[in-house]
Amino acid sequence: MQLSDKQKEFWNNAESRWNVKSGATRSGKTYMDYYVIPKRIRAVVGKDGLVVILGNTKGTLQRNIIEPLQNIWGMQLVSDIRSDNTAMLFGEKCYCLGADKINQVNRIRGSSIKYCYGDEVVTWHPDVFNMLKSRLDKSYSKFDGTCNPEGPNHWFHKFLQSDADLYLQQYTIDDNPFNSKEFVENLKKEYKGTIFYDRYILGLWVAAEGAIYRLFADDTERFILKEKPKVAFATIGVDFGGNGSAHAFSCTGFTQSMKEVVTLEEYYRKEIISPTQLEQDFVDFVEMCKSKYKVAEAYCDSAETTLIQGLRNACAKKGIAISIKSAMKKEVNDRVRFYCRLMSSDRYKISKNCIYTIEAFRTALWDSKYITKDKRLDDGTTNIDSLDAQEYSTEPYMKAIMSI
């Protein structure tokens, strides 16, 4: 196997109770661990204590850790995670548990842990980590873990600054010589001008503050459509109003290659209206959009099941062919990262007539009241409704678009 200088350094020197690699995405942090994990497990075979792997969820552990281990070492040495949340790894029974909620790890509460591997540690519930501290109670107990940086007040960053028996490496994307030059340049371009450049490229623990979409706020004209868009199909996102917020629809187009995303049309209405009026407005909006573009799907705020059914009934009554579904409602910050990357790589455009969505992107702010996590400001002074509608319209295609 080929290793970078940083990876060799970890292999030779990471012998503390806590061994952590923090830093940029795609910097080689996790790849090293596909060889570290079997080394650690074999070193404690037959000794008292449990072997545990913790991650955001059991599903992410299967994708991020188990399947790559299987590809390198084979199914005989690395089994899938079974229904009882255990797997056989290199001759040892291993507990594979989600750490996003404290109740996920109650089954190992009170047990001694001889080895623990931690994936995506910053996504864990802090009580899980605090429990883990008291469970690594053998003289030979060790922890290996990786994370991408968050804000400087994050609980895990504070631990990394403590006087614990800790071996810490910090990575930038340039610490991985096995990435292609083209990939690195593209990723730097996609995160340029955002908080995510500092974190995912430079590997820095920096606060999210001020404008979220800095590039859009500083040079809005750059993203305004200059000519008629060439889109292959379009979707509609719907955010329902309430408690002073607005009803918002967003019609978003996608090019044939799925490389570019274009906000084509919008609807915004803040005053209180009846469900019947909302249904009529939606029907009118869908008919207008379908007259210009190939629109077959709409994605709505999943919290409002009654209103969603009303839209379906209204469209069916008018004979309008459109599939109306509940939005996936990914984490807001996943949606933020998606649009930041699109904007940085000039893959997002918006019609000049979509004035509410333009203003929403221009004025979106990080909430300064939250010091331990990133949160988009939603205090009634910013137009979150248009952003939600816009994001719902692209959620089903975000993964495919980012893979191009």
Side-chain angles (χ1 to χ4, degrees):
M1 69 176 172
Q2 284 186 305
L3 297 177
S4 68
D5 290 342
K6 257 312 186 28
Q7 290 168 335
K8 292 175 184 176
E9 179 184 305
F10 188 90
W11 180 268
N12 292 326
N13 300 308
E15 295 297 336
S16 298
R17 183 165 179 253
W18 302 92
N19 304 280
V20 177
K21 296 187 291 297
S22 165
T25 185
R26 299 299 294 271
S27 59
K29 303 186 305 298
T30 305
Y31 178 78
M32 176 80 252
D33 294 332
Y34 302 142
Y35 298 92
V36 170
I37 290 171
K39 172 188 174 183
R40 300 290 201 212
I41 292 177
R42 295 307 300 167
V44 295
V45 167
K47 295 184 178 181
D48 288 340
L50 303 180
V51 175
V52 178
I53 296 181
L54 298 174
N56 181 243
T57 65
K58 187 171 74 171
T60 61
L61 282 181
Q62 180 71 25
R63 292 191 300 273
N64 296 348
I65 307 301
I66 298 299
E67 290 176 8
L69 282 172
Q70 291 172 337
N71 291 337
I72 294 172
W73 300 103
M75 296 283 289
Q76 289 186 326
L77 293 177
V78 182
S79 76
D80 285 332
I81 302 174
R82 299 176 294 211
S83 59
D84 63 353
N85 293 326
T86 66
M88 290 302 298
L89 269 64
F90 309 102
E92 284 275 299
K93 182 180 180 179
C94 175
Y95 288 84
C96 304
L97 304 169
D100 60 330
K101 299 180 179 66
I102 186 62
N103 63 350
Q104 298 293 319
V105 295
N106 280 339
R107 67 176 57 211
I108 59 173
R109 189 185 297 275
S111 301
S112 291
I113 297 176
K114 57 185 176 181
Y115 177 63
C116 179
Y117 179 79
D119 181 48
E120 299 182 339
V121 182
V122 296
T123 67
W124 296 9
H125 193 292
D127 288 349
V128 174
F129 190 75
N130 288 330
M131 180 275 296
L132 179 63
K133 291 178 184 177
S134 65
R135 298 300 96 207
L136 291 171
D137 56 2
K138 304 298 184 186
S139 60
Y140 46 81
S141 294
K142 280 186 171 58
F143 171 89
D144 294 306
T146 63
C147 67
N148 297 125
E150 293 287 335
N153 292 307
H154 192 281
W155 59 264
F156 191 55
H157 184 240
K158 291 182 177 180
F159 172 77
L160 297 180
Q161 294 179 308
S162 72
D163 60 357
D165 179 15
L166 172 68
Y167 181 81
L168 173 63
Q169 277 191 321
Q170 301 195 54
Y171 285 67
T172 74
I173 196 170
D174 294 318
D175 285 321
N176 186 353
F178 307 114
N179 287 327
S180 71
K181 182 179 179 181
E182 180 182 17
F183 168 78
V184 173
E185 289 177 350
N186 285 336
L187 203 61
K188 287 180 177 179
K189 181 180 179 182
E190 289 170 5
Y191 284 124
K192 182 180 179 181
T194 73
I195 184 64
F196 306 112
Y197 187 94
D198 297 332
R199 294 178 181 175
Y200 298 160
I201 302 299
L202 303 180
L204 301 176
W205 294 78
V206 293
E209 54 188 3
I212 296 177
Y213 303 103
R214 298 177 193 167
L215 292 177
F216 196 97
D218 292 343
D219 187 9
T220 304
E221 190 61 27
R222 166 181 170 182
F223 301 96
I224 303 300
L225 275 173
K226 303 300 190 296
E227 56 187 28
K228 185 177 180 179
K230 298 178 181 179
V231 298
F233 70 99
T235 60
I236 293 173
V238 178
D239 186 58
F240 298 110
N243 297 322
S245 60
H247 297 293
F249 312 150
S250 179
C251 180
T252 302
F254 305 83
T255 58
Q256 185 67 48
S257 64
M258 296 291 286
K259 188 175 181 179
E260 295 178 347
V261 173
V262 184
T263 302
L264 302 165
E265 309 284 349
E266 70 171 7
Y267 165 96
Y268 182 91
R269 189 161 179 170
K270 196 162 188 176
E271 66 267 24
I272 297 174
I273 58 175
S274 67
T276 301
Q277 183 62 59
L278 176 65
E279 291 163 11
Q280 184 58 54
D281 287 356
F282 181 73
V283 166
D284 293 343
F285 184 78
V286 172
E287 288 185 321
M288 181 269 289
C289 292
K290 287 178 74 71
S291 71
K292 299 179 180 181
Y293 312 105
K294 183 179 178 181
V295 182
E297 297 172 324
Y299 297 91
C300 307
D301 183 350
S302 58
E304 301 291 348
T305 56
T306 301
L307 292 177
I308 292 173
Q309 189 57 49
L311 300 187
R312 289 174 179 152
N313 294 340
C315 287
K317 186 176 180 179
K318 289 281 289 186
I320 299 173
I322 186 169
S323 175
I324 302 174
K325 307 174 184 179
S326 293
M328 300 168 68
K329 299 196 79 167
K330 293 177 180 286
E331 287 290 334
V332 170
N333 288 345
D334 289 340
R335 288 142 52 179
V336 167
R337 281 190 286 270
F338 173 77
Y339 278 96
C340 281
R341 290 183 67 179
L342 282 185
M343 291 175 185
S344 296
S345 54
D346 284 316
R347 295 173 61 185
Y348 175 73
K349 292 291 185 287
I350 184 168
S351 169
K352 65 180 181 181
N353 297 322
C354 297
I355 57 174
Y356 293 101
T357 309
I358 290 171
E359 186 64 12
F361 276 126
R362 286 185 64 252
T363 60
L365 300 172
W366 293 112
D367 194 333
S368 60
K369 297 194 300 292
Y370 286 79
I371 62 173
T372 60
K373 63 180 180 179
D374 302 339
K375 186 172 177 61
R376 190 169 65 186
L377 181 65
D378 186 7
D379 64 352
T381 64
T382 54
N383 176 13
I384 297 301
D385 313 297
S386 291
L387 287 183
D388 283 339
Q390 176 62 44
E391 292 161 356
Y392 295 158
S393 71
T394 52
E395 275 187 329
Y397 302 100
M398 285 181 179
K399 185 175 181 180
I401 292 168
M402 284 295 93
S403 68
I404 297 172

